[in-house]
Amino acid sequence: MAVDLWSEVTVSRSEKFEITAEGEGAEEMPKDSTNLMCIGVKAAFDAAEVPVPVLKYHVVSRIPYARGLGSSSAAIVAGIIAGLVLVGHRLPCWGSEALLQIAASIEGHPDNVAPAIYGGIQIGIHSGARWMSERAPSPPGMQMVLFIPDFVGMTSSARNVLDATVSRDVAAYNIGRVAFLVHALCTSNLDNLRFGVQDQMHQPQRGSKLYKYLFPMIEAAENAGAACAYLSGAGPTVMALTSGASGDIFTQREKERVDLAVAEAMLQVAENFGIKGQLLITNTSHEG
């Protein structure tokens, strides 16, 4: 899901290679060619079969870095698009989605790059021949309450705690939940979202070994009125989805909104566990 958090990437020709950054993760992100912006640019030049010239990169990052909010995918997509513009290369769209193919090949899956490209809530699969993605509806008035811890979450560490195999019962459990989730989105039945986001493949493992606050925070958010709450990506961010009775955030009476109550409940859990972080309230971005 693309949330309304944005980074700005500027790529220009230069006499020497340089990466400058400001904002979220400015100190932590790599300043060499391993930066995903550079990898995205190179992929665009490779598609055009043109060598990459010497370039200068500048990023204003407003997406918290390594927090399970897709900052890496935003960097990849921004780099590819910047590279395509610089080299003057066009990619085929209909029937091939070449931009998605390049981005997903770098990321390894379409889960985050597809929303970064197309916006909204995306469901991505590999057809056997190429990556494909389709948009699922975003219920009107739905908002996101994000608790973003001050510490980073490395995807490699988060993967290391997962089970090497998945039982048939666990697979059936998750397949049923994801079907329930998509149906809840399609019918705007927010009451069913809490069942749709239930999981046995990664949240119990990460909650018990990495993020002790996860399930207490989910419970507190739902008790405060959230439709659901879950671990965002590989963590450590916890995201709650909320809405009001009228379905339109501009016409709802103030007392119908539960965003602030949910935010306060999540912050209280963080305080109980001695975890510092920031709280953001945002919504779905329908544009990539």
Side-chain angles (χ1 to χ4, degrees):
M1 176 168 58
V3 298
D4 198 15
L5 298 172
W6 299 78
S7 289
E8 298 176 18
V9 172
T10 304
V11 185
S12 54
R13 294 181 183 271
S14 176
E15 294 183 356
K16 68 172 185 175
F17 173 87
E18 185 180 9
I19 296 177
T20 55
E22 55 184 295
E24 299 282 351
E27 299 299 324
E28 295 94 337
M29 68 177 65
K31 303 299 192 301
D32 57 20
S33 60
T34 64
N35 189 297
L36 290 169
M37 295 184 296
C38 304
I39 293 173
V41 167
K42 184 179 185 304
F45 276 81
D46 287 347
E49 298 182 341
V50 174
V52 181
V54 179
L55 299 170
K56 176 182 178 179
Y57 302 77
H58 181 70
V59 58
V60 180
S61 178
R62 300 186 184 91
I63 305 174
Y65 180 75
R67 300 297 202 283
L69 290 169
S71 62
S72 61
S73 290
I76 289 169
V77 173
I80 296 170
I81 294 173
L84 291 172
V85 173
L86 280 171
V87 76
H89 185 64
R90 292 176 179 267
L91 293 175
C93 296
W94 298 112
S96 60
E97 295 183 289
L99 177 57
L100 176 63
Q101 308 312 306
I102 295 172
S105 68
I106 297 171
E107 181 79 298
H109 55 77
D111 299 358
N112 299 324
V113 294
I117 294 169
Y118 303 119
I121 301 171
Q122 296 288 327
I123 305 173
I125 63 168
H126 196 279
S127 68
R130 68 179 181 89
W131 294 106
M132 303 172 64
S133 190
E134 290 288 340
R135 183 187 293 252
S138 179
M142 188 173 73
Q143 288 193 293
M144 290 88 233
V145 181
L146 290 72
F147 174 73
I148 307 167
D150 283 348
F151 60 87
V152 302
M154 301 308 296
T155 302
S156 57
S157 301
R159 286 177 179 163
N160 287 339
V161 303
L162 302 183
D163 298 332
T165 59
V166 175
S167 71
R168 183 178 299 175
D169 288 345
V170 169
Y173 181 97
N174 269 47
I175 291 168
R177 262 53 183 190
V178 77
F180 219 73
L181 171 62
V182 174
H183 186 266
L185 293 171
C186 289
T187 58
S188 295
N189 187 345
L190 299 183
D191 291 338
N192 281 342
L193 287 177
R194 71 175 57 196
F195 305 108
V197 301
Q198 289 173 347
D199 160 81
Q200 289 185 355
M201 284 189 180
H202 82 109
Q203 288 193 148
Q205 297 86 338
R206 288 166 172 164
S208 64
K209 296 176 182 177
L210 296 177
Y211 314 125
K212 302 290 187 182
Y213 57 88
L214 173 60
F215 286 102
M217 190 170 287
I218 290 174
E219 181 180 6
E222 291 180 348
N223 288 343
C228 67
Y230 53 89
L231 187 67
S232 181
T237 295
V238 177
M239 183 180 294
L241 305 183
T242 71
S243 186
S246 301
D248 181 348
I249 60 173
F250 298 109
T251 61
Q252 287 159 6
R253 298 185 301 275
E254 183 178 353
K255 66 180 181 180
E256 293 178 350
R257 300 300 307 176
V258 298
D259 306 64
L260 292 179
V262 170
E264 290 170 359
M266 295 171 77
L267 285 174
Q268 183 60 58
V269 172
E271 183 178 332
N272 293 345
F273 280 82
I275 298 169
K276 296 185 181 299
Q278 60 176 314
L279 211 295
L280 290 179
I281 298 177
T282 183
N283 50 27
T284 308
S285 172
H286 298 288
E287 297 180 356

